[in-house]
Amino acid sequence: MAESDAQIDAPPPAKEGQSHLYLVDGSGYIFRAYHALPPMTRPDGTPVNAVFGFSAMLVRLIDDLDADHLAVIFDAARENFRNEIYPEYKAQRPEAPEDLIPQFPLIREATRAFNVPCIEMEGFEADDLIATYARLARERGWRVTIVSSDKDLMQLVTDGVDMFDPMKNRPIGRAEVIEKFGVPPEKVVDVQSLAGDSVDNVPGVPGIGIKTAAQLIEEYGDLETLLARAGEIKQPKRRENLIENADKARISKRLVTLRDDVEVPEPLEDLAVRHIDPAGVLPFLKEQAFKRLIARFESEAAQGGSEEGRSAETVAISEAAGADAGYELVQDLDDLKRWIAAAEDQGLVAFDTETTGLDAMRADLVGVSLALSPGRACYIPLRHVGRQPQGDLLGGAPAEEAPKQVPFDAAMALLKDLLENPAVLKVAHNAKYDALVLSRQRNGGIAVAPIDDTMCLSYVLEGGLHGHGLDELAQLHLGHTNIKFEEVCGKGKNQITFAEVALDKARDYAAEDADVTVRLHALLKPRLVAEHMVTVYETLERPLIPVLVAMERNGIKVDPAILRDMSADFAKRMVTLEGEIHGLAGEEFNVGSPKQLGEILFDKMGLSGGKKGKTGAYGTGADVLETLAAEGSELARKVLDWRQVAKLKSTYTDALVESINPDTGRVHTSYSMVGAATGRLSSNDPNLQNIPVRTEEGRKIRTAFVAEPGNLLLSVDYSQIELRLVADIAGIESLRQAFLDGKDIHAQTASEVFGVPLDEMTPETRRRAKAINFGIIYGISGFGLARQLSVPQGEAQAYINAYFERYPGIRDYMDSMKAFAREHGFVETKFGRKVHIQAIRDKNPAMRSFGERAAINAPIQGTAADVIKRAMARLRPALEKADSPARMLLQVHDELVFEVPEDAVEKTAELVREVMEGAAAPTLNLSVPLVADAGWGKSWAEAH
DNA sequence: GTTTTCACG
DNA sequence: GACGTACGTGAAAACT
């Protein structure tokens, strides 16, 4: 049933020769566009936001290749045959907003200007006309796509008929209908008849919503059967309602069922897609002052018409790109000078670097692409090589000479002038990578500035909604599929480096990236203002790019000898432990396999502890083994020891040695600015934000992180920053006072929640309070706290209740975050960063709870992340001003690590502490002081 | 490619 | 009233 249905994915593309009809729900679109788009007016003051959205949508649709028939359908008037069935139908709909009314005729005008059939009919709604056309087209074997997100049209989805949501740019197929209604399209009408619709004034049956309706229809098959057997319903209220309101349900059914037998005014043939005549559409566009669309059709007119209705935009970005008007290959100095002059003239250029690898500290620059405006891009090969000699495959092809390129040093000198020119804005996607590559002497020693980063723009605007890779954004915002890296370089053992790629292929790939970047920039940058995200971008993200470039470039010295010694020791201990484990188990097995271990522990040895998880595998996590060990299982104890050693060896001591850069002798992590939804950074290749510290054993790994001779590592970290923010944000007076007085915060909490005087505090009581304090930050639940504390759930819940009782501000905070997230789909940090929480609207209650906890945590974790980002951005000029020789090396969420000459440590520590403690001000006037503690030593272990 | 486990804040 | 849980990450190894 539903399971197999759900697997049906996006509809297949139209078959060869099959006609494809697009039916646009014009009336529905107007309202949605009006509400979704920010207000716009043309010079004479006429509001046109919906008209603009509509026009842009129509152009996009016509550009779509497989639409050969197209019509826009409108509602003719308010009254139609449904009002005769039920006079109140849609009666209570509010009047359209004042600034929408003048847009109705304009949208019909737009449709005609674009040479698209514009259809409406007295007595019927647009939906009925759509249903009728869909039936007619299907009878001829055509494919139909209904462009609308209106749920009332979902009943029409079937084989060959699907929908497309023009606001969200996503298809609506059978699976999406099931997601919305809980039943497949053919049963949607029955569900709607029961559930009714308060907006359209469809009565339905009282007390039954979509969920219950879907459940009932699933159970009884259809509406009539359900009504006939209503007496069998167990719930008394529901049974009564169904019996009493059977007629209302039947009337509702007549209201929601779409008519597909309307005498349509235009035959299908007349809906064939017609060419857009620039001369016909330009006067209309000019009247509305739609700049972007005007430019587009003017260029089309200049070229003597478009190519088969496809936009110049689409053509330039796809296969025709390389050919005529498309991307240019720059192979001599004069051409390069021409591009650079044009970029300087314009004051803005998008660029992308092509290299030999992903590690910016090791990669060699191979080429650079530039884009000035959509479709106008070039690629400058710099270090391409000829085809490499092929081994003995097919007799071995001989090596070829390197292709013609601008001499490297000459090209880099010119590019350096451009990329360092303060009057030219450089736009890149993940600019940190390109800036770091170019900053290395071998790749030109260029300090790129000023920089805009489309990846950061996307993160700031839509963090939490989707990924921020270039390919994903091209698809999402431009409807364009980028050439894949694999298609150019191959994969697996046959993969070649970009330096070996033939120039025409390299040009198409590289220039496309720059082209897409310049388009995304044009799309995203203006949204900063419209969506009030300028400050977040300009103060928290953009200034961090050069800071992180410097940190990644600095790296940190790691002593391989220390790690190798530890690895050898770990290896020995693992062998010993393995022997002991096999002895205890009575057989040899792979200790590293949770599956085998689970079978040994629970099947063979018969220890208690059940299955879990969808996969049916036994859980053998540390908590499970810890319980078994406490019950006296020596085997479990040994496995725990083995696991710890194995983890330390494989993830840290072995891997870190491999990460040492042979050129610098240091380890250079890479920070992701868009990895964490809350605004935190993340660290990878290698991850230096999770180096062990909690156990004595693991902590030793930090002795291998050292300062150069004559220097020290300085570590400064925020004390309890998240809890301090909670005290401030949730306005908890006693917690606030405790921080002000510098008291033991967990003991204080314990005293107040459990009513124990401070001088009678036991460590256990304090431990519990500490767990609650952390729980608060995570969006506490009785279950979670019980697990953490190993106490019954009821007891944990009692603690939480006591906490809420004592600190009501916490509960208010949690409730308001949940409500805000539900309403807006995101929550905000104190600095205005938006964190989108999609799970908050999930239909699965477990997912929703998850979203609620995330909504509680995100403003706290995110605000802390914002604070340290502000500190990092300010530290650069602050250290410079103080003439400090200190170098920032690492960030670990609430900690910064520096390398400092010995004689400058104390002064630097003081300066860093001041900047970090003052980082929230002046934007945020915290009622709780921020405190940072400093420590230093020869190694990271000593610095704490 | 996904799952499990475990390291950090 | 039932979902099945602490928030946020990344890496290695086993397993599909």
Side-chain angles (χ1 to χ4, degrees), chain A residues 246-264:
Chain A
D247 282 345
K248 273 198 177 155
R250 292 196 179 93
I251 287 177
S252 298
K253 183 160 182 175
R254 289 176 63 198
L255 291 176
V256 300
T257 304
L258 299 181
R259 290 265 302 266
D260 65 357
D261 57 350
V262 183
E263 285 291 329
V264 290

Side-chain angles (χ1 to χ4, degrees), chain A residues 216-375:
Chain A
L216 290 169
I217 293 298
E218 270 298 315
E219 197 175 337
Y220 291 87
D222 59 59
L223 182 65
E224 277 311 317
T225 313
L226 168 68
L227 294 177
R229 292 168 52 191
E232 301 170 17
I233 306 267
K234 290 198 187 75
Q235 297 88 336
K237 257 269 165 59
R238 189 175 291 174
R239 183 175 59 232
E240 257 174 57
N241 274 333
L242 273 167
I243 295 170
E244 274 177 27
N245 297 286
D247 282 345
K248 273 198 177 155
R250 292 196 179 93
I251 287 177
S252 298
K253 183 160 182 175
R254 289 176 63 198
L255 291 176
V256 300
T257 304
L258 299 181
R259 290 265 302 266
D260 65 357
D261 57 350
V262 183
E263 285 291 329
V264 290
E266 305 228 21
L268 273 182
E269 294 73 32
D270 290 4
L271 308 185
V273 168
R274 291 169 249 172
H275 177 65
I276 302 182
D277 179 8
V281 76
L282 276 168
F284 171 78
L285 293 175
K286 283 185 176 157
E287 198 183 339
Q288 319 309 321
F290 292 161
K291 274 204 204 143
R292 221 179 69 203
L293 292 170
I294 291 169
R296 198 204 118 142
F297 286 100
E298 271 179 347
S299 80
E300 253 177 43
Q303 284 165 24
S306 70
E307 299 83 355
E308 292 295 304
R310 289 183 61 183
S311 72
E313 223 168 337
T314 315
V315 169
I317 204 166
S318 61
E319 74 273 15
D324 42 356
Y327 304 143
E328 186 177 324
L329 193 57
V330 174
Q331 290 176 290
D332 60 55
L333 212 51
D334 285 341
D335 284 339
L336 179 57
K337 283 179 181 164
R338 194 166 42 77
W339 275 93
I340 288 177
E344 288 182 334
D345 221 36
Q346 185 170 271
L348 179 150
V349 63
F351 80 103
D352 187 32
T353 57
E354 301 303 332
T355 67
T356 53
L358 291 172
D359 182 344
M361 280 302 291
R362 300 190 196 208
D364 282 344
L365 183 67
V366 169
V368 173
S369 53
L370 304 176
L372 295 173
S373 58

Side-chain angles (χ1 to χ4, degrees), chain A residues 419-645:
Chain A
L419 295 173
E420 294 185 348
N421 185 342
V424 182
L425 178 62
K426 269 72 64 175
V427 183
H429 195 79
N430 190 12
K432 178 168 69 65
Y433 174 85
D434 304 278
L436 180 52
V437 166
L438 291 167
S439 78
R440 287 168 46 226
Q441 217 49 54
R442 161 153 186 84
N443 295 325
I446 296 170
V448 185
I451 292 178
D452 245 352
D453 187 337
T454 43
M455 188 173 80
C456 289
L457 286 171
S458 171
Y459 179 63
V460 161
L461 291 168
E462 299 181 340
L465 289 181
H466 50 75
H468 306 282
L470 189 65
D471 293 355
E472 186 172 350
L473 298 185
Q475 196 67 64
L476 188 72
H477 294 294
L478 307 170
H480 172 69
T481 308
N482 279 346
I483 303 170
K484 292 192 187 63
F485 182 79
E486 258 179 29
E487 287 171 34
V488 178
C489 289
K491 61 172 181 173
K493 68 177 172 60
N494 293 322
Q495 190 169 56
I496 55 174
T497 74
F498 205 82
E500 299 163 68
V501 175
L503 291 194
D504 55 343
K505 264 176 137 181
R507 174 246 283 144
D508 291 348
Y509 175 86
E512 179 182 70
D513 280 359
D515 186 8
V516 166
T517 303
V518 83
R519 288 167 197 256
L520 287 175
H521 187 258
L523 218 57
L524 299 178
K525 189 75 186 278
R527 284 181 50 192
L528 288 182
V529 177
E531 296 169 34
H532 307 109
M533 297 306 288
V534 177
T535 310
V536 171
Y537 177 72
E538 295 291 345
T539 66
L540 299 176
E541 304 301 332
R542 201 171 173 211
L544 213 61
I545 296 172
V547 174
L548 293 176
V549 167
M551 289 170 73
E552 292 183 17
R553 213 179 126 93
N554 287 338
I556 184 166
K557 189 178 183 186
V558 170
D559 184 342
I562 295 178
L563 294 176
R564 286 204 190 94
D565 285 352
M566 291 179 75
S567 275
D569 178 43
F570 288 151
K572 269 190 229 157
R573 285 176 46 198
M574 281 172 71
V575 171
T576 312
L577 281 166
E578 243 160 82
E580 292 169 354
I581 289 166
H582 291 161
L584 288 165
E587 67 177 287
E588 297 208 348
F589 69 102
N590 183 352
V591 185
S593 162
K595 186 163 171 265
Q596 293 178 36
L597 175 65
E599 281 158 12
I600 297 274
L601 286 171
F602 300 114
D603 289 340
K604 184 171 177 190
M605 313 195 49
L607 296 169
S608 54
K611 277 191 211 293
K612 72 160 186 183
K614 310 131 216 172
T615 55
Y618 289 113
T620 66
D623 51 342
V624 177
L625 296 186
E626 206 66 63
T627 309
L628 294 176
E631 287 164 2
S633 168
E634 206 180 328
L635 180 56
R637 179 83 265 151
K638 298 264 184 217
V639 171
L640 280 168
D641 290 346
W642 183 90
R643 282 233 181 114
Q644 194 196 6
V645 175

Side-chain angles (χ1 to χ4, degrees), chain A residues 407-425:
Chain A
F408 189 81
D409 291 339
M412 293 314 287
L414 288 175
L415 283 169
K416 185 178 168 82
D417 285 344
L418 173 67
L419 295 173
E420 294 185 348
N421 185 342
V424 182
L425 178 62

Side-chain angles (χ1 to χ4, degrees), chain A residues 84-249:
Chain A
E84 289 163 27
I85 301 173
Y86 190 69
E88 291 97 81
Y89 177 70
K90 292 199 178 176
Q92 58 176 31
R93 276 222 167 163
E95 284 295 326
E98 205 176 316
D99 53 336
L100 178 55
I101 294 169
Q103 302 194 56
F104 288 108
L106 280 176
I107 282 175
R108 284 172 171 79
E109 203 180 310
T111 313
R112 284 185 280 266
F114 281 108
N115 209 1
V116 173
C118 175
I119 295 171
E120 53 192 291
M121 219 176 147
E122 283 294 323
F124 296 97
E125 292 184 53
D127 293 0
D128 300 307
L129 295 168
I130 290 172
T132 304
Y133 275 117
R135 176 183 59 83
L136 292 169
R138 238 182 105 229
E139 283 168 2
R140 298 202 190 175
W142 293 11
R143 213 188 125 203
V144 179
T145 298
I146 298 163
V147 180
S148 171
S149 53
D150 191 339
K151 62 180 176 4
D152 296 337
L153 285 163
M154 291 186 177
Q155 57 182 278
L156 298 175
V157 170
T158 178
D159 221 18
V161 180
D162 53 68
M163 292 174 67
F164 182 79
D165 180 341
M167 303 302 302
K168 291 184 184 146
N169 255 328
R170 68 181 195 124
I172 299 172
R174 198 175 164 84
E176 287 75 22
V177 176
I178 293 171
E179 193 184 308
K180 174 94 193 169
F181 281 105
V183 294
E186 57 272 17
K187 292 186 179 171
V188 161
V189 166
D190 287 348
V191 168
Q192 285 185 291
S193 311
L194 286 171
D197 186 333
S198 56
V199 180
D200 290 349
N201 231 3
V202 173
V205 175
I208 293 185
I210 289 196
K211 285 201 133 171
T212 314
Q215 199 186 313
L216 290 169
I217 293 298
E218 270 298 315
E219 197 175 337
Y220 291 87
D222 59 59
L223 182 65
E224 277 311 317
T225 313
L226 168 68
L227 294 177
R229 292 168 52 191
E232 301 170 17
I233 306 267
K234 290 198 187 75
Q235 297 88 336
K237 257 269 165 59
R238 189 175 291 174
R239 183 175 59 232
E240 257 174 57
N241 274 333
L242 273 167
I243 295 170
E244 274 177 27
N245 297 286
D247 282 345
K248 273 198 177 155

